[in-house]
Amino acid sequence: MYNNSVSINVSDDSSDELPGKLRTRVRRKRKRFEHRGKTGFTRKFVKQLLRWGPILLLLAAGWLFFFEFYKLSWRTNSPPKKDPKLVTEKKPPANLNRLDPVTKVVHGVREPCLKLLPPEELEHLVPPKQRVPHDPIKEVVYITDTDSRYLEGNLTSEKALEATRFNLFTGYQTLKQRDLSFEVNETSEVHCGFCSEKGGFKISDEDKLYMRDCEAVVSTCAFGGGDDLYQPIGMSEQSLQKVCYVAFWDEVTLASQEAQGVKVGEDHFIGKWRIIIVKDLPFRDQRLNGKIPKMLPHRLFPNSRYSIWVDSKSQFRRDPLGVLEALLWRTGSVLAISEHGARSSVYDEAKAVVKKNKATPEEVEVQLTQYRKDGLPEDKRFNGKKALAEASIIVREHTPSTNLFMCIWFNEVVRFTSRDQLSFPYVLWRFKALKDVNLFPVCTRKDLVNSMVSLAIITVTLLSLFSPVPHQKESSRLSLALSFYIQQPKTGGSTSHRVAPSDAGALIFHRTLTEGPENTSQVVGKAEGFIIPIDHFAHSAFNIIYLTFHTQKHSGSLSIQAKDFAQNQKSELTVVGGTGSFAFVRGFAVFAQADNNPGSSSSSSSSDATYHIKLHLRFPNRSQTIPPG
């Protein structure tokens, strides 16, 4: 049994030798393992390179081909370079003259927001014959001041009438007459502007004759300097022959445009627009003056069957007959207007109006109180759509119902605030005779016009953000009070330029701004703007003043507009914004004639006087008001 056993001699030499051999083998295995790892990675890399390499090469070749093709195409199509010294024309806005359609996705398919007829059908499109009368209102009688029976009865107080801005143009509608105007009768009587020959909004006889011949009209307006006039595009030859394009201007806008080199032709046209000059505007509020051509085209164009209103900040870019067919005839509607893009409740819109300083909280509250009293719902919808309208485009047929609707709407704007978005849902809700209303989506509105509003907002924002602000400490104050003088022009100088005849009454001025009342005082900047002198410079019906400062303490500009006018030697104007040190500033300015030359004749022209301006400014993100100083 023991003979099968094996004996192993262990000595110091053998014990040292065996471990040595084992360690050597381990190191060799590690070397072989590392070598195998590198080889595996290389093999995988080569394998992936062989697999994806051709695709990568193909992509690189395609990108290179596209890049070279783009360079070649750009060089071929790019216009020759012009000498910068010869280029003097003004660049149009980036979104001007665009005709590409605005589209939306419906059930996974992209389609145009406004589906017009093909061009060949538009060229032969004929307005439908007079529809079978189904309007519950057969006739609308417009009240004038000669109707003495309406001058008695439930008249509101003198203070209330003044607050509502009723005048000889609008007539003095009582609350009882307001309620009666909503009733549906075959013959309806309503105030609808032009209530007196002395009411204003005067148009020449030649222009009236032209307007009487318009059966369909596209209209816009610009009052008080206003906006640039954008030429309509995208119309057919038939529309050019059958549709009138009318732009209403006042004398200030005419003077302002002429100062910029825009001239009205001897035929009274600028491009495709017939320019109608309106004199003696009935309201101080230019927004309210703009409601007359916007809401009362049936009064201005008595023989017109159709009208399209376009705000002055938009360029109409579609065929008007095609728009009438798409929004009215095809849908069986008599009124088409864009629904609001952000809100649907009148009460939410009222909060936004106050927040954006488009109306005072007091006048908005008066309007909402009346609407709550009459039972207007919190969130009213019309046929499943928003009742809140955006109202920059109004397309309508001139029927008795639509005419009465627009008259009632206009009276609400005069009675309450100039924000027609607030009164539209109320009139639509209360006036039961008008049912065929097309509240088209915002997408359609964007297809109808090239809007310049967003571009203007961006420009103003960039101007305010990137204008130089060398003295940041000034704009960090809670408030700032300043006092300067607008100097009278020197005899024989060129500080004042009349750009309209004296009977027009429009004056564009350029004057020096100084620290003290003396004309030898330190010059701190300049004052520019335009006015309509009536009795005194400070009591003009409409003033716009731009103050520009260039001093060590102040660098930037201020924009000042008319607010309220007292019957004395002072006027309070509103500071509506600024740049530089005055970026986004708000406040008011007290404007008074300076008594720096007591010995001068009192009969001297007030437009040549020196004026003292006290500025009371507050800066962004400040809630407290500044007391008058």
Side-chain angles (χ1 to χ4, degrees):
M1 178 174 67
Y2 293 100
N3 293 333
N4 293 332
S5 63
V6 180
S7 62
I8 299 175
N9 295 325
V10 179
S11 63
D12 293 337
D13 296 336
S14 61
S15 62
D16 292 335
E17 181 180 357
L18 184 58
K21 293 180 180 179
L22 290 174
R23 283 195 296 270
T24 302
R25 290 175 183 175
V26 171
R27 283 196 296 270
R28 289 176 182 174
K29 289 181 180 180
R30 287 177 181 173
K31 287 182 179 181
R32 283 196 298 269
F33 175 78
E34 292 175 359
H35 178 70
R36 289 176 183 175
K38 290 181 179 180
T39 303
F41 175 80
T42 303
R43 289 177 180 176
K44 289 181 180 180
F45 177 80
V46 173
K47 184 178 180 180
Q48 295 295 329
L49 183 63
L50 293 175
R51 180 180 179 181
W52 297 101
I55 298 177
L56 294 175
L57 290 175
L58 182 62
L59 291 175
W63 180 85
L64 183 62
F65 174 80
F66 175 80
F67 179 75
E68 292 296 331
F69 176 81
Y70 175 80
K71 285 173 54 178
L72 180 62
S73 175
W74 181 81
R75 290 174 182 175
T76 304
N77 296 330
S78 60
K81 294 183 178 179
K82 297 181 180 181
D83 187 354
K85 297 180 180 180
L86 301 178
V87 180
T88 58
E89 65 272 11
K90 181 181 178 180
K91 291 184 178 181
N95 54 344
L96 191 64
N97 297 327
R98 293 173 50 250
L99 282 171
D100 52 301
V102 178
T103 60
K104 61 181 178 181
V105 177
V106 180
H107 303 300
V109 180
R110 185 167 292 278
E111 59 184 37
C113 296
L114 179 64
K115 296 181 180 179
L116 294 178
L117 294 175
E120 58 274 11
E121 295 186 33
L122 289 177
E123 288 294 344
H124 301 91
L125 184 62
V126 179
K129 295 181 180 180
Q130 192 70 32
R131 298 181 181 179
V132 178
H134 65 279
D135 198 326
I137 298 174
K138 306 304 180 184
E139 183 184 9
V140 179
V141 178
Y142 304 117
I143 299 174
T144 66
D145 62 350
T146 58
D147 297 320
S148 58
R149 53 188 168 146
Y150 294 104
L151 299 179
E152 302 175 358
N154 183 25
L155 286 173
T156 55
S157 66
E158 184 76 19
K159 183 177 181 180
L161 287 173
E162 182 180 355
T164 56
R165 300 167 293 186
F166 285 138
N167 53 31
L168 291 177
F169 176 83
T170 63
Y172 297 92
Q173 185 194 56
T174 65
L175 292 174
K176 182 179 179 180
Q177 290 170 343
R178 174 179 179 266
D179 290 334
L180 290 175
S181 66
F182 288 98
E183 296 183 0
V184 179
N185 301 304
E186 286 194 0
T187 300
S188 298
E189 298 172 324
V190 66
H191 291 83
C192 200
F194 301 93
C195 288
S196 170
E197 293 182 358
K198 300 178 181 179
F201 210 86
K202 297 178 180 178
I203 299 173
S204 69
D205 292 338
E206 182 181 0
D207 289 333
K208 288 180 179 179
L209 289 174
Y210 174 85
M211 295 161 64
R212 287 173 187 167
D213 293 335
C214 296
E215 295 185 5
V217 60
V218 176
S219 62
T220 188
C221 80
F223 295 144
D227 305 290
D228 293 335
L229 187 65
Y230 303 110
Q231 292 298 322
I233 57 176
M235 67 287 292
S236 63
E237 288 297 326
Q238 185 173 195
S239 290
L240 287 174
Q241 297 174 4
K242 294 186 176 181
V243 179
C244 299
Y245 296 87
V246 175
F248 294 93
W249 284 5
D250 64 344
E251 295 168 301
V252 175
T253 301
L254 177 63
S256 176
Q257 292 296 317
E258 288 181 347
Q260 299 179 38
V262 180
K263 304 292 183 180
V264 180
E266 295 182 357
D267 58 353
H268 305 287
F269 278 82
I270 296 180
K272 298 179 179 64
W273 291 105
R274 167 77 180 221
I275 307 300
I276 305 293
I277 303 301
V278 182
K279 296 183 179 181
D280 192 16
L281 294 175
F283 304 107
R284 287 181 176 178
D285 186 350
Q286 297 295 357
R287 294 173 300 176
L288 195 54
N289 287 321
K291 306 303 179 187
I292 299 173
K294 178 177 183 176
M295 296 180 174
L296 307 181
H298 58 284
R299 300 284 275 145
L300 294 166
F301 304 90
N303 298 321
S304 179
R305 287 184 59 194
Y306 301 97
S307 65
I308 300 175
W309 165 263
V310 182
D311 273 3
S312 59
K313 291 182 174 61
S314 301
Q315 178 191 35
F316 191 61
R317 64 175 196 150
R318 293 292 178 242
D319 181 73
L321 292 180
V323 171
L324 292 173
E325 190 279 331
L327 298 182
L328 296 185
W329 307 337
R330 193 187 306 172
T331 62
S333 305
V334 293
L335 174 66
I337 189 170
S338 171
E339 64 182 13
H340 203 286
R343 289 168 291 278
S344 58
S345 169
V346 174
Y347 302 101
D348 291 340
E349 178 66 13
K351 295 176 183 177
V353 167
V354 173
K355 184 177 181 180
K356 296 178 181 179
N357 296 320
K358 294 182 177 180
T360 65
E362 293 78 15
E363 60 182 346
V364 171
E365 183 58 32
V366 170
Q367 186 170 7
L368 293 185
T369 299
Q370 182 65 51
Y371 289 174
R372 291 190 186 99
K373 179 181 177 182
D374 295 336
L376 181 66
E378 288 285 337
D379 191 358
K380 179 65 180 177
R381 298 184 72 82
F382 184 82
N383 291 340
K385 296 182 178 180
K386 295 178 181 178
L388 195 64
E390 190 267 344
S392 64
I393 301 174
I394 302 175
V395 183
R396 73 181 185 99
E397 181 179 355
H398 293 186
T399 67
S401 287
T402 61
N403 293 345
L404 181 55
F405 176 90
M406 300 302 286
C407 293
I408 297 173
W409 190 12
F410 176 74
N411 290 333
E412 288 294 292
V413 170
V414 176
R415 181 176 291 276
F416 298 111
T417 70
S418 301
R419 306 305 302 174
D420 49 42
Q421 293 94 335
L422 291 178
S423 49
F424 176 82
Y426 174 82
V427 179
L428 186 64
W429 164 74
R430 189 170 178 184
F431 185 60
K432 306 300 182 184
L434 191 63
K435 300 183 183 298
D436 302 326
V437 179
N438 178 10
L439 285 161
F440 54 84
V442 177
C443 174
T444 302
R445 172 178 61 81
K446 292 182 178 179
D447 194 275
L448 286 170
V449 297
N450 289 323
S451 179
M452 310 299 166
V453 178
S454 58
L455 183 64
I457 293 175
I458 292 174
T459 303
V460 173
T461 303
L462 290 177
L463 180 63
S464 299
L465 289 176
F466 295 102
S467 57
V469 189
H471 307 293
Q472 189 65 31
K473 292 183 180 180
E474 287 289 346
S475 61
S476 63
R477 294 183 181 181
L478 293 177
S479 63
L480 182 63
L482 300 174
S483 175
F484 298 105
Y485 292 83
I486 297 180
Q487 292 295 336
Q488 60 183 348
K490 297 179 180 179
T491 304
S494 58
T495 55
S496 171
H497 305 284
R498 188 175 295 274
V499 296
S502 58
D503 58 349
L507 180 70
I508 293 180
F509 66 91
H510 306 273
R511 295 194 182 179
T512 303
L513 199 63
T514 63
E515 287 185 348
E518 301 81 8
N519 56 13
T520 57
S521 181
Q522 177 68 34
V523 175
V524 295
K526 59 183 179 180
E528 301 174 293
F530 56 87
I531 59 172
I532 307 177
I534 297 179
D535 295 323
H536 300 283
F537 177 84
H539 297 153
S540 300
F542 189 74
N543 292 327
I544 293 183
I545 302 174
Y546 303 97
L547 304 180
T548 306
F549 301 91
H550 298 290
T551 67
Q552 294 182 352
K553 293 183 178 180
H554 313 288
S555 178
S557 64
L558 285 173
S559 298
I560 302 176
Q561 291 184 351
K563 181 183 178 184
D564 298 312
F565 297 92
Q567 299 301 321
N568 49 40
Q569 292 299 315
K570 286 188 177 181
S571 289
E572 183 178 303
L573 293 82
T574 304
V575 177
V576 296
T579 63
S581 302
F582 309 101
F584 298 110
V585 76
R586 292 293 187 271
F588 65 91
V590 178
F591 190 90
Q593 183 170 336
D595 188 18
N596 61 317
N597 191 4
S600 62
S601 174
S602 59
S603 62
S604 61
S605 173
S606 59
S607 62
D608 291 338
T610 299
Y611 288 91
H612 185 197
I613 291 185
K614 293 182 180 180
L615 300 170
H616 301 267
L617 310 176
R618 61 179 182 271
F619 291 90
N621 300 324
R622 302 291 187 263
S623 59
Q624 62 265 39
T625 58
I626 305 170

